[in-house]
Amino acid sequence: MKLRNRLLPFGAGLAALLLAAGCATGSQPAANSGGADENGDITFSFWGTNSEAASLKAIAAAFEQANPGTKVTTNWIQADYEQKLQTSIAAGTQATVIEISNTSLAGFAPSFAEQQVDPTKFVQPNISEALKYDGKYYATPFTAKPKVMAVNLDAFKAAGLPAPSPTTPLSLDEFKTIVAKLSHGEGKKRVYGTSNMWFKGWLTAAGGGFYNADATACTFGDQQGVATAQYIVDLQKQRYAPSSIDIEGQDQAQWFAAGRLGTFSDFGPWTVADFAKISKPNWTLVPVPGKGFPMEVGGLAIAKNASGKKLETAKKFVEFVSTQQVAQDLLIQGNTALGVPIIAASTPTLEKVLPPERNLAAFTTALKTGLISPSVPREGQISGDADKGITSYTPLGSGKDDVAKILPGLNDKCTAALKQ
Amino acid sequence: MNPTIGWIRQLAESWGVPAVLVPLVPFLVLLVALYAVIGLAAYGAKRAWPRADKTIAFWLFISPWLIGFLVFTVGPMLSSVYVSLTSWDLITPPKFVGVANYTEAFQDPRVGQAIKVTLLYAVISVPLQTALAFAVSLLMNVDLPGIRLFRTIWYLPSLVSGVAQIVLFLWVFNPQYGLVNDVLGKAGIQGPGWFNDASWALPTVILMSLWTVGGAMVIYLAGLKDVPTSLYEAAALDGAGRLRLFWHVTLPQLSPIILFNVLTGIIGALQIFTQGFIANGGPKDSLLFFVYYLYDNAFQNFRMGYASALAWILFVIIMALTAVTLRGSAFAIYYETEMGGRRRRPRLRKG
Amino acid sequence: MAVLVETGHAAGPSTTVRRADRPYWRRNLPLTLVLYAVLALGSLAFVYPFLWMIATSLRSLAGVGSAGASIWPSEFLWENYTRAITSFPFWRYALNSLITTLIPIVGTVFSCALAGFAFARLRVRFSGVVFAVVLATMLLPGEVTMVPQFMLFNNLGMIDTLYPLILPAFFGSPFYIFLFRQFFSRMPAELADAAVVDGCGWFKMFLLVYLPLARPAVVAVSILLFMSYWNNFLGPAIYINSDQWKTLPLALAGFQSVNGTDTPLLMATSVLITLPCLVIFFVAQKQITNGITFTGGR
């Protein structure tokens, strides 16, 4: 028996199958491998919903158009963005230009190239400040994501309440009184004074913070933290605010449209689309009570391993996205926005998406007063573990335990993890 | 990336290999080289010992499995011993920390929780699934008009598996608006929070696993159809009732299948991941399945060393568990057939 | 998988003997009615979530809330499906899913049949020991090697490609090696003798004589493999980063976290992902509902 005869068909078959596998995997180029760049084509990775992805794809296309001969391949990572970024950095397959949020910058700074940023180009200097790590810029801002609050004017009228000021935020006490008056009804018809309350957001609004200013300790379990948690738990107990179980799998914009919510906090620029189609109840935007919710800053980082022509194109692209009006205007797609433009020339673009009585200008105000949370390394793990504990054990999530008993313990664990 | 691999890749790139195929080239080169060596060795062996033809063929036939076993299982496992002794986030170089990961794992309450949740799931869901699947297959084996339609209906849900199934059941068990609580509500019962309730989350996942019992059902059904009718007839002639028939004919005849299903069921249950992933570990870590915790440490928190230590702990647990279950199951079937095979052959020769 | 029943009873002529003269339901009417009741109730419980999924996939967002548990198709918003297909690169993901399902099926079937044949028909020294090792690895969950395998593929430069999801399939899987071995063991030994007389080599014998006869086993294993590869989630979750290589389950999971409240869209996508399994089911229905059987070979 001839062994070679036996071996050949097997080997050939295997080779053919593997080749077929390769061919079938399509003709698109694989992700940029970083080194040895003979062309200036770049890749650009980002996260987000469909509309946010549409925005960034449009910006990439606009850049290609403005710079003939360049090619930007977009890579939309829907979920687990930071995790995917880490594995791709480990494998050396990260994109050339990488969208990064100020909150997760600290963990990735060592993998990013340092950048030169001119803070004066942006409407607000603190915006670029958010993307500094160890005193150096590791990303250039291209958008900010402040939060505002939508109020149901019909509900206010029905409850005999005056409409809140479009520019001055309510205090937390005023807010509590108002939502109490807005709430009524029972069961699935229950009208809540406010949407589900985001602990981290309200913590900032009340003057507290998840971490202290220099990110050396967690502070969500301090006196202010417990008081804020208690504030939320009280509102939930009075059924002025729905609990996270009440809204499980529910679309709160839908609730607002159905008149089931008096106010809707945690209203980001991307929420505009959901609300644009709502004409009844009549609504408008006002600042979030207290000091407002923390503002996220979207930045663009350049991979450290980018070099040569790729690096040049990447720099040009980052510059284009963060300072050119064409690009900044594209943050607004139809009736929604990925974020608020950060150059003065594009500010009106967002404000004009809806009629003036909707007060989209509230975003511009919020952009100027928005507080920025410090960035910590291993943010995902640290705040993830804390969040898990909070939602598991306290009524801020699906638990039943007393916040005063749970939060300080979680806080200590969080600080310990931070110091590791 | 390994330098040799990188070098072969660059070579492939410079030869104009399409980009999608480039990662494959080094692997293929290594594989072809390996098979060239094996082929030469086999050829030499064949010339030296022409009568060992069958032995050589045997090793060639199982060579894909053998190579895979060495490359994808043994090799990685050995290297994971080293990784488990380091602190490593994939990006910065690994740092040797000795047995620190193991000592941490033994003190980590979440490891205990993960083991508890996983074992509870295995111990409860596997017997339930087995009993239900077996009972249903008995029902489906009755010769009724329209039984094929019923078989189809009961099998259909097992086609909705993986992520799609969980996405669906998150809705079915939604505490306020879900299917189940809606029905319970109409009956005047306030349903629990299911996935949102720490004490209900695991039972909910077990309930969900029962929905796809159709897959095991068809296997038992096949086994039932394979029981020789003559055995029933002989037993019936001896005056055995329906219960005795079941107890003395059906059950013994199907026991290898049942054992096999239980074993694969346990293995599958210990590997449960997706449910934990989508539910993010569940409230109070109630769905912190071991593999999910492993994944979470490795690919969410990037603690490769710690995750490797966890993997070894899981390995020891599974080895211990299977040592207990093994005797009655796969090995029993194997040895039985082996013995059967040996018994049969001389008989053939005689005849 | 009747192949597992090897309790010593040789396949005899008993299959020709009919169990009873009259159909069951004529013999015992009351019990029959009880059985039907059980079957009907059970069917309702089993099929209801399935129908609910389909009904919900055709509703509007507001309709989902008002319909609750009802499966009455009050709305037919087929655009949920067009939305599902257009709101993410559906065809790209579907193609990736197909590639990482079909090619591994071919690889697994071939490598496992090869090894299974060797264990069944090439009994040589140590083959028993090696087979015991195969059985032992069946008990070893692949998750244990998750981290080091990632490192291996990273060293091979295969992160964020489909190869880590494809290549291991070509190196056999203990469970299916076991199934094929059982199947080949049941084939008459005379086949091999006849082939040897004809001057066939072992590989030729396997390829031309045994593999064609193993068609039922190949079909059954392929069906099982299709379901598991199509729904594979952990693998893509680890190895795939970029949009262009995502598979459908991965996309659905991402979708769930991004558009978690858009129930109709989620359900429509779920239905679309389940569709290929449904199609396979209806094509191979007889084979499946009668029990995936390996015994058809004789």
Side-chain angles (χ1 to χ4, degrees):
Chain A
M1 250 135 294
K2 290 169 207 83
L3 276 157
R4 264 175 307 174
N5 288 359
R6 213 173 302 143
L7 202 63
L8 272 175
F10 170 62
L14 191 68
L17 274 169
L18 291 174
L19 279 171
C23 295
T25 47
S27 51
Q28 286 188 34
N32 158 40
S33 56
D37 319 317
E38 63 292 332
N39 64 36
D41 295 354
I42 58 168
T43 47
F44 172 35
S45 67
F46 48 83
W47 72 87
T49 59
N50 297 328
S51 66
E52 290 171 309
S55 245
L56 292 166
K57 282 177 184 167
I59 291 175
F63 176 73
E64 284 175 348
Q65 207 166 30
N67 299 273
T70 58
K71 194 169 163 10
V72 181
T73 308
T74 55
N75 181 13
W76 173 28
I77 298 170
Q78 286 174 318
D80 285 339
Y81 184 76
E82 281 85 4
Q83 285 71 37
K84 293 294 164 196
L85 185 54
Q86 181 116 353
T87 42
S88 62
I89 289 172
T93 57
Q94 71 271 48
T96 335
V97 177
I98 299 157
E99 182 189 10
I100 191 82
S101 151
N102 66 305
T103 51
S104 40
L105 181 72
F108 291 101
S111 310
F112 293 156
E114 200 191 325
Q115 293 190 36
Q116 301 304 319
V117 176
D118 179 2
T120 57
K121 286 192 173 151
F122 312 118
V123 282
Q124 201 54 24
N126 68 345
I127 289 170
S128 55
E129 204 60 28
L131 297 171
K132 261 187 184 170
Y133 178 74
D134 256 358
K136 291 175 195 151
Y137 289 107
Y138 285 99
T140 305
F142 76 102
T143 188
K145 300 170 180 179
K147 298 282 174 65
V148 294
M149 182 166 81
V151 294
N152 177 338
L153 292 171
D154 291 351
F156 273 71
K157 205 183 273 172
L161 292 162
S165 153
T167 48
T168 319
L170 296 161
S171 75
L172 264 66
D173 289 335
E174 286 168 340
F175 182 72
K176 193 172 187 172
T177 332
I178 288 174
V179 294
K181 285 187 184 150
L182 288 170
S183 306
H184 59 84
E186 270 321 311
K188 286 185 182 175
K189 296 250 153 50
R190 171 84 183 169
V191 173
Y192 295 95
T194 171
S195 55
N196 177 248
M197 296 173 83
W198 178 42
F199 175 56
K200 256 187 210 178
W202 285 96
L203 185 56
T204 316
F210 203 79
Y211 306 107
N212 62 359
D214 55 358
T216 50
C218 300
T219 51
F220 63 86
D222 64 7
Q223 212 183 348
Q224 179 69 68
V226 172
T228 312
Q230 200 57 56
Y231 175 84
I232 297 176
V233 172
D234 284 348
L235 286 182
Q236 283 181 3
K237 210 176 262 168
Q238 309 281 344
R239 316 237 318 127
Y240 300 154
S243 71
S244 60
I245 293 178
D246 291 326
I247 57 145
E248 164 85 17
Q250 295 292 300
D251 186 12
Q252 291 188 85
Q254 192 77 35
W255 280 25
F256 189 91
R260 290 195 60 193
L261 297 175
T263 63
F264 181 100
S265 50
D266 205 13
F267 189 112
W270 53 90
T271 321
V272 177
D274 293 332
F275 276 66
K277 44 185 183 257
I278 303 175
S279 54
K280 211 186 143 1
N282 188 22
W283 60 276
T284 190
L285 294 178
V286 299
V288 174
K291 298 192 168 172
F293 287 177
M295 176 169 76
E296 197 183 318
V297 175
L300 295 178
I302 299 175
K304 206 176 192 174
N305 66 354
S307 60
K309 275 192 187 165
K310 271 193 205 308
L311 181 61
E312 263 169 57
T313 319
K315 280 182 178 165
K316 222 193 256 178
F317 179 69
V318 170
E319 170 90 11
F320 176 81
V321 181
S322 61
T323 58
Q324 294 302 302
Q325 197 190 339
V326 206
Q328 289 279 305
D329 282 353
L330 284 171
L331 290 172
I332 292 110
Q333 293 280 314
N335 54 18
T336 186
L338 180 148
V340 176
I342 52 167
I343 60 165
S346 288
T347 306
T349 320
L350 174 63
E351 289 176 7
K352 275 186 218 143
V353 167
L354 294 179
E357 65 266 23
R358 297 287 187 232
N359 191 29
L360 285 185
F363 276 116
T364 317
T365 321
L367 177 70
K368 293 193 172 130
T369 54
L371 295 168
I372 291 163
S373 316
S375 165
V376 300
R378 294 190 294 127
E379 147 82 19
Q381 187 189 344
I382 290 169
S383 78
D385 282 355
D387 273 344
K388 219 174 213 177
I390 294 170
T391 52
S392 282
Y393 291 97
T394 73
L396 296 175
S398 58
K400 290 189 177 68
D401 297 352
D402 185 3
V403 286
K405 280 196 189 124
I406 299 295
L407 290 188
L410 289 172
N411 192 75
D412 292 347
K413 262 191 214 162
C414 176
T415 304
L418 205 56
K419 288 198 168 124
Q420 236 172 45
Chain B
M1 203 186 303
N2 185 291
T4 320
I5 304 285
W7 180 75
I8 302 177
R9 271 176 80 123
Q10 272 179 3
L11 213 62
E13 268 167 25
S14 65
W15 286 350
V17 175
V20 275
L21 289 178
V22 166
L24 188 61
V25 172
F27 182 82
L28 275 188
V29 168
L30 293 180
L31 196 68
V32 167
L34 187 61
Y35 264 100
V37 172
I38 293 174
L40 272 176
Y43 188 66
K46 172 81 180 80
R47 297 198 66 165
W49 307 284
R51 307 197 64 186
D53 174 72
K54 203 170 165 184
T55 311
I56 297 166
F58 171 79
W59 290 101
L60 281 178
F61 270 57
I62 66 158
S63 64
W65 171 77
L66 200 60
I67 291 171
F69 177 59
L70 294 175
V71 172
F72 294 116
T73 307
V74 178
M77 279 183 74
L78 290 180
S79 75
S80 91
V81 175
Y82 170 70
V83 176
S84 76
L85 301 173
T86 65
S87 165
W88 188 29
D89 68 351
L90 275 185
I91 294 185
T92 48
K95 205 167 64 196
F96 189 81
V97 293
V99 292
N101 287 322
Y102 290 94
T103 39
E104 187 187 340
F106 285 119
Q107 287 160 2
D108 184 351
R110 296 186 76 195
V111 171
Q113 172 72 5
I115 293 174
K116 192 182 115 190
V117 169
T118 312
L119 286 186
L120 262 180
Y121 175 75
V123 166
I124 298 173
S125 79
V126 173
L128 272 182
Q129 279 179 33
T130 310
L132 186 65
F134 191 62
V136 170
S137 69
L138 285 174
L139 198 62
M140 293 294 174
N141 199 32
V142 179
D143 207 2
L144 290 175
I147 195 76
R148 280 181 60 89
L149 179 70
F150 284 114
R151 281 181 204 159
T152 305
I153 291 175
W154 287 54
Y155 182 77
L156 270 183
S158 60
L159 296 172
V160 187
S161 60
V163 182
Q165 191 201 353
I166 301 159
V167 166
L168 170 61
F169 272 84
L170 278 178
W171 271 95
V172 169
F173 286 113
N174 182 301
Q176 302 284 325
Y177 300 86
L179 184 58
V180 174
N181 277 6
D182 201 89
V183 172
L184 286 178
K186 283 193 178 112
I189 304 166
Q190 165 78 45
W194 305 108
F195 282 111
N196 284 294
D197 187 327
S199 44
W200 273 97
L202 190 61
T204 309
V205 172
I206 293 170
L207 266 180
M208 194 171 98
S209 77
L210 292 182
W211 195 55
T212 52
V213 90
M217 172 194 85
V218 296
I219 293 172
Y220 288 124
L221 207 53
L224 285 173
K225 293 207 176 300
D226 234 37
V227 177
T229 337
S230 54
L231 285 180
Y232 286 110
E233 280 158 4
L237 278 179
D238 290 349
R242 198 172 285 134
L243 207 64
R244 284 177 63 98
L245 276 183
F246 172 76
W247 197 251
H248 291 290
V249 180
T250 315
L251 215 52
Q253 285 287 309
L254 257 74
S255 57
I257 297 191
I258 297 174
L259 281 169
F260 191 81
N261 259 353
V262 166
L263 195 75
T264 49
I266 290 175
I267 296 166
L270 294 176
Q271 290 176 343
I272 181 172
F273 165 75
T274 317
Q275 285 84 336
F277 179 87
I278 305 273
N280 202 9
K284 295 190 190 173
D285 288 338
S286 51
L287 296 177
L288 189 75
F289 296 112
F290 204 96
V291 174
Y292 170 67
Y293 190 48
L294 192 67
Y295 172 91
D296 201 45
N297 271 296
F299 298 105
Q300 298 278 322
N301 299 340
F302 293 97
R303 303 188 59 202
M304 291 298 173
Y306 191 57
S308 299
L310 289 181
W312 277 100
I313 293 171
L314 177 66
F315 177 73
V316 170
I317 292 173
I318 286 175
M319 286 298 117
L321 262 181
T322 42
V324 177
T325 342
L326 240 153
R327 282 200 182 142
S329 46
F331 271 99
I333 298 165
Y334 165 57
Y335 283 123
E336 214 167 312
T337 55
E338 200 74 335
M339 302 307 282
R342 289 211 182 110
R343 246 185 282 124
R344 224 175 285 141
R345 227 175 285 151
R347 222 187 290 150
L348 277 173
R349 275 198 203 123
K350 264 185 231 158
Chain C
M1 263 174 279
V3 68
L4 302 175
V5 199
E6 285 230 56
T7 43
H9 79 269
S14 54
T15 37
T16 51
V17 181
R18 274 188 296 144
R19 194 172 288 180
D21 300 313
R22 281 186 304 158
Y24 187 85
W25 59 278
R26 289 246 185 117
R27 276 183 285 149
N28 195 339
L29 197 61
L31 189 68
T32 307
L33 290 178
V34 172
L35 282 179
Y36 269 119
V38 172
L39 283 170
L41 266 175
S43 299
L44 193 68
F46 268 74
V47 87
Y48 203 93
F50 188 76
L51 295 177
W52 187 82
M53 174 169 89
I54 294 170
T56 307
S57 75
L58 293 170
R59 292 190 206 283
S60 65
L61 204 49
V64 176
S66 58
S70 163
I71 54 168
W72 188 252
S74 50
E75 292 172 281
F76 290 96
L77 263 80
W78 292 103
E79 66 252 37
N80 284 337
Y81 283 90
T82 33
R83 266 206 305 152
I85 289 175
T86 50
S87 66
F88 60 101
F90 179 84
W91 298 111
R92 178 83 222 170
Y93 298 167
L95 179 68
N96 290 340
S97 271
L98 266 184
I99 289 168
T100 53
T101 302
L102 296 183
I103 299 174
I105 288 178
V106 175
T108 311
V109 166
F110 189 73
S111 59
C112 292
L114 206 58
F117 173 78
F119 286 123
R121 282 283 161 254
L122 303 173
R123 299 274 170 92
V124 298
R125 230 171 144 195
F126 300 124
S127 69
V129 179
V130 179
F131 189 61
V133 174
V134 170
L135 284 184
T137 57
M138 190 158 76
L139 310 173
L140 179 79
E143 285 74 10
V144 169
T145 54
M146 181 161 75
V147 171
Q149 256 190 37
F150 176 84
M151 285 150 30
L152 174 74
F153 283 113
N154 193 9
N155 270 321
L156 285 168
M158 288 182 176
I159 301 304
D160 203 18
T161 67
L162 296 180
Y163 298 118
L165 311 178
I166 296 173
L167 292 179
F170 284 83
F171 297 92
S173 153
F175 181 70
Y176 299 102
I177 291 177
F178 177 75
L179 290 186
F180 272 112
R181 178 203 173 270
Q182 300 298 84
F183 187 80
F184 285 125
S185 304
R186 288 187 133 200
M187 285 185 170
E190 292 83 359
L191 267 177
D193 299 340
V196 170
V197 171
D198 286 353
C200 270
W202 290 111
F203 189 73
K204 234 179 177 177
M205 184 200 292
F206 163 73
L207 208 62
L208 300 180
V209 180
Y210 277 89
L211 202 56
L213 285 176
R215 226 187 84 116
V218 170
V219 171
V221 166
S222 301
I223 293 171
L224 290 176
L225 283 172
F226 187 92
M227 305 296 174
S228 80
Y229 284 136
W230 183 259
N231 289 306
N232 182 13
F233 177 69
L234 183 60
I238 292 173
Y239 292 109
I240 305 301
N241 295 333
S242 56
D243 205 28
Q244 58 174 333
W245 303 125
K246 265 183 207 151
T247 60
L248 285 173
L250 194 63
L252 179 62
F255 216 48
Q256 152 83 12
S257 65
V258 173
N259 301 354
T261 53
D262 198 339
T263 322
L265 194 59
L266 274 173
M267 291 302 148
T269 318
S270 297
V271 171
L272 285 174
I273 290 181
T274 311
L275 215 53
C277 297
L278 284 177
V279 168
I280 293 219
F281 170 73
F282 282 110
V283 169
Q285 190 184 11
K286 210 172 165 204
Q287 199 126 16
I288 295 171
T289 49
N290 280 340
I292 293 178
T293 174
F294 281 5
T295 48
R298 53 176 183 232

